[in-house]
Amino acid sequence: MPQILIAGLFHETHTFLDGLTTLVDFQIRRGQEMLDCLGDASPLGGVLEFAAANGWHVMPAVDYRAQPSATVADEVIHQFWQELMPFIQKDSFDAIYLVLHGAMTSQTILDVEGEILQRIRAITQVPIFGVFDLHANFSPKTAALADCLVGYRENPHTDAREAAVDAARLLQRYFTTGKRPHMQLRQPGLIWPPTGTGTGNDPMKSLENLARQMESEDESLWAMNIVAGFSFADTPDTGVSFVACTTGTASVLLETLAAKAIELNHLGLVTDPSADEVLAKLSPMPDGLTVLVEPSDNIGGGAPGDGTGLLRALLRHRIENAAICLADAEAVLALEAGERHIRLGGKGSRLDEGPVELDVELVALNDGRFELEDKNSHLASMCGDAFDMGRCAVVKHAGLTILITSIKTPPFDLGQWHSQGIEIEKMSVVAVKAAVAHRRAYDKIAARMLWVDTPGPCSSNLASLPYKHARITR
Ligand SMILES: [Zn+2]
């Protein structure tokens, strides 16, 4: 019975956001709390299920997870390592399985995953397998020090759990065959905004297809990862990369992928029209639900979710029967205290114009915990089966229904609206603060989906970002 040490470290770090992500922002699971994830929709849940089915003896160490947000405080890495190290030192296990994001950056460590792997390797040489997010900024250190990491194949991430199980299956293959793979990395020097990294479209679609074809044709290739990168973490490894897990050599395959990515680069460099430009074209309002996507305030990418750019545009254009959700705990408190004139949003980013002053009619005040309607969504991969938006208020102003949450909530599950009594399917317009990952929830109810540019930290316009470390060669 193989003994597997399992640990998790999951954060997509947006280094252009104000502030720090500290220990209180992390959900920390230890020992039995990790084992309790068995059967849930998260990658860890998937690994545990595979382990149970295949007779692995699991040694749970520690699992740190936080939503995408600003640069991580060094104290988080310090504490994580202090907790993990004693397990690594036990040396009574046959392999390590890591549940990673892969785009984590702290105050002084640009490549946190690479640094942790280096510390692990100073103690043990056992195989290190694991799973990571397609938006990782994959470093040469990580490629050299881990044996076989499998990334998600889909964006929106519907397969996070599946990718985790795939990686576990490959670890089982190592135990069965005795063959130990290694990783080969190719970074073509490209950076795409999140809006350019959906796998339903090129360039990712063609690259994914190529990679799956390569896997089917080459027996020594255990996995070929198409890694889109995370453009808002400014590090030397930021951007697109290709990572082969192989027992042979994958140099030629990696060159083929790099050439394809360079050929399709222009399709990854998506930019969006302004909100005013888009809304001007929605008069008269066409039938069916129009989904307006505001990537500059992409919560899944770490933005505060309280940006007022699209809200202001909806008010300016007097859009009727429209819904928008903002995260603003202060506004919820004010409404609970009986105030009906609120200062809404615009508090989370210096790139925003600031709060919007509104007279509102209160519709409801509620608890914000809801059961996910879609247990395979990206939200499930982050939080399991339920999400807590904190105390919530539903208010109306002119033609707008505004859901105000205390905790920012990535718009990846329609339960967010339904749990608050809002029949989102019956609206004419809904604004979502996302880039791509909302599509799994909204494609099925949208008559049309339009991306708009507003001021904010996750704008697709990468030229507006003050990069210091990233190396863009094209
Ligand atoms: Zn991702």
Side-chain angles (χ1 to χ4, degrees), residues 10 12 101 133-136 152 154-155 157 230 300 378:
F10 193 95
E12 185 177 74
H101 181 283
D133 189 291
L134 168 150
H135 293 108
Y152 311 161
E154 289 171 34
N155 182 27
H157 306 322
F230 183 58
H378 187 50

Side-chain angles (χ1 to χ4, degrees), residues 204-461:
M204 290 298 286
K205 189 177 181 181
S206 293
L207 292 167
E208 266 300 320
N209 289 342
L210 260 177
R212 286 334 117 218
Q213 191 188 332
M214 289 170 177
E215 282 177 349
S216 70
E217 288 170 356
D218 182 344
E219 212 158 274
S220 66
L221 184 65
W222 288 26
M224 180 62 89
N225 298 304
I226 305 297
V227 191
F230 183 58
S231 55
F232 303 132
D234 182 18
T235 79
D237 301 305
T238 299
V240 180
S241 65
F242 307 109
V243 185
C245 304
T246 177
T247 53
T249 176
S251 305
V252 175
L253 302 180
L254 291 169
E255 282 317 308
T256 303
L257 289 167
K260 191 64 168 176
I262 290 161
E263 177 195 325
L264 300 178
N265 184 35
H266 61 288
L267 297 173
L269 295 169
V270 170
T271 51
D272 307 306
S274 76
D276 280 326
E277 212 175 302
V278 171
L279 288 178
K281 288 184 190 151
L282 288 179
S283 180
M285 185 60 66
D287 286 343
L289 177 64
T290 299
V291 177
L292 297 177
V293 187
E294 188 180 27
S296 70
D297 197 22
N298 174 14
I299 297 170
D306 79 335
T308 61
L310 185 48
L311 171 66
R312 287 171 194 279
L314 291 169
L315 292 168
R316 247 188 334 263
H317 291 260
R318 299 174 198 281
I319 303 295
E320 294 285 327
N321 196 31
I324 186 168
C325 176
L326 277 87
D328 190 338
E330 271 178 43
V332 174
L333 278 177
L335 286 157
E336 299 224 62
E339 284 178 43
R340 298 295 177 260
H341 180 84
I342 56 171
R343 298 175 72 247
L344 182 60
K347 298 158 191 167
S349 166
R350 67 196 128 100
L351 299 171
D352 198 87
E353 274 187 64
V356 174
E357 306 240 350
L358 282 182
D359 289 313
V360 298
E361 171 199 338
L362 180 69
V363 178
L365 285 165
N366 286 315
D367 258 352
R369 189 180 158 80
F370 69 94
E371 187 77 15
L372 299 193
E373 293 179 8
D374 177 2
K375 301 277 164 64
N376 291 314
S377 71
H378 187 50
L379 203 52
S381 76
M382 293 191 291
C383 72
D385 291 348
F387 191 90
D388 190 352
M389 303 187 283
R391 288 290 289 169
C392 290
V394 180
V395 299
K396 287 198 172 178
H397 174 91
L400 281 184
T401 297
I402 308 173
L403 168 58
I404 312 172
T405 66
S406 294
I407 297 169
K408 64 179 180 175
T409 308
F412 301 162
D413 193 287
L414 299 179
Q416 172 179 22
W417 301 104
H418 298 151
S419 65
Q420 302 300 310
I422 299 167
E423 290 183 277
I424 200 67
E425 297 83 351
K426 295 190 178 164
M427 309 298 290
S428 301
V429 170
V430 58
V432 299
K433 295 173 176 296
V436 173
H438 64 285
R439 291 193 58 172
R440 184 173 161 94
Y442 287 85
D443 272 355
K444 56 179 184 274
I445 60 167
R448 66 199 63 76
M449 196 171 276
L450 306 169
W451 276 257
V452 302
D453 192 35
T454 57
C458 294
S459 168
S460 298
N461 181 11

Side-chain angles (χ1 to χ4, degrees), residues 131-155:
V131 63
F132 66 96
D133 189 291
L134 168 150
H135 293 108
N137 290 320
F138 215 96
S139 72
K141 211 186 246 183
T142 297
L145 297 177
D147 297 85
C148 179
L149 302 177
V150 177
Y152 311 161
R153 270 79 165 105
E154 289 171 34
N155 182 27

